[in-house]
Amino acid sequence: MKSEEVELHLRERLLRGDFTPGSRLPEVKLAAELGTTRNAVRSALLALESRKLVERIPNVGTVVAKVDFDRLEEIYDVLEVLEGLAARLAAQNAEPQDWAPLQELFAPSRLDAAAAGGDLETFLVAIDSYRDSVIRLADQDFLAETLAGIQDQAHLLRRRILMTPGRMEESLAQHRDIIEALVRGDADRAEELKRHNMKTARTRLRRYRDFLV
């Protein structure tokens, strides 16, 4: 397994929450587990450190990055503005038919069952599809690059907040309203609704701080 493959494998596990924040990631053990070299693991961990998913601690080694509440608040400051802007630009630039895949995905369907049953993985795939579509249709390179820079941290944050009671149902209803505004090309409303979606997520971040951090 090459270092790029090791990085992808470990990144997916970190984003799924397979590792406890603060737990050690020993290079020798990981190399043996993955059937690769220690150098490949070390290179992968360095790449993951740049993504803020792991951190190196002197005399300890590499550990899974811990969640810092103040940093989460800062991330939300940025996400609310940028994702709202992305919704505005996408509403302005896209044609109604461009939203057909999202309309189908978010129509009364298995997402309702996923939300009711706590199927987090299915729900996250849908939210990621919304996000990817909006960023693509916003057609603004710098905005896309900026959001890509915090993609992993944003994903981890969404995962934690969606685990709070009732959030999936709330988020599903909110995203259906946003998609309706996008289809109409109502840029003001799309941005307003997306920022409201982020504000309600932030409220949950604060309410469930002890659980999420």
Side-chain angles (χ1 to χ4, degrees), residues 188-205:
D188 288 342
R189 186 62 174 158
E191 179 175 16
E192 178 187 0
L193 287 170
K194 184 55 189 175
R195 293 190 68 153
H196 173 70
N197 167 250
M198 302 302 293
K199 283 184 171 71
T200 56
R202 181 195 285 265
T203 298
R204 284 178 173 267
L205 173 64

Side-chain angles (χ1 to χ4, degrees), residues 18-182:
D18 291 352
F19 300 107
T20 303
S23 61
R24 293 183 65 245
L25 297 170
E27 294 174 3
V28 174
K29 181 179 178 181
L30 287 173
E33 177 186 331
L34 300 176
T36 188
T37 66
R38 185 174 180 179
N39 283 337
V41 172
R42 183 179 295 119
S43 296
L45 291 176
L46 285 171
L48 293 170
E49 184 179 14
S50 70
R51 290 177 173 270
K52 308 296 184 185
L53 294 177
V54 304
E55 56 185 328
R56 298 179 71 85
I57 300 177
N59 302 318
V60 174
T62 303
V63 302
V64 180
K66 293 182 179 180
V67 179
D68 178 83
F69 183 78
D70 290 338
R71 182 168 180 82
L72 294 183
E73 287 270 17
E74 291 173 0
I75 292 172
Y76 255 112
D77 286 339
V78 174
L79 283 176
E80 181 185 328
V81 174
L82 294 187
E83 294 207 10
L85 175 60
R88 167 178 286 279
L89 293 174
Q92 291 173 345
N93 295 336
E95 298 295 331
Q97 61 268 24
D98 292 330
W99 301 110
L102 277 187
Q103 285 181 292
E104 181 178 354
L105 178 60
F106 280 83
S109 65
R110 65 190 185 113
L111 285 184
D112 293 279
D119 184 354
L120 181 60
E121 300 308 323
T122 295
F123 202 84
L124 275 169
V125 169
I127 296 299
D128 285 343
S129 294
Y130 161 85
R131 181 182 180 277
D132 292 344
S133 297
V134 167
I135 292 172
R136 174 175 56 83
L137 292 168
D139 195 24
Q140 220 274 24
D141 289 344
F142 184 71
L143 175 62
E145 292 165 6
T146 303
L147 284 168
I150 55 175
Q151 176 182 353
D152 288 346
Q153 295 172 78
H155 180 91
L156 286 171
L157 192 49
R158 281 196 298 273
R159 173 180 286 274
R160 288 188 174 94
I161 290 173
L162 285 170
M163 291 170 65
T164 62
R167 177 55 184 173
M168 279 193 273
E169 291 91 339
E170 179 181 55
S171 180
L172 179 56
Q174 290 171 347
H175 278 87
R176 283 172 172 160
D177 288 343
I178 296 167
I179 292 167
E180 286 183 11
L182 291 168

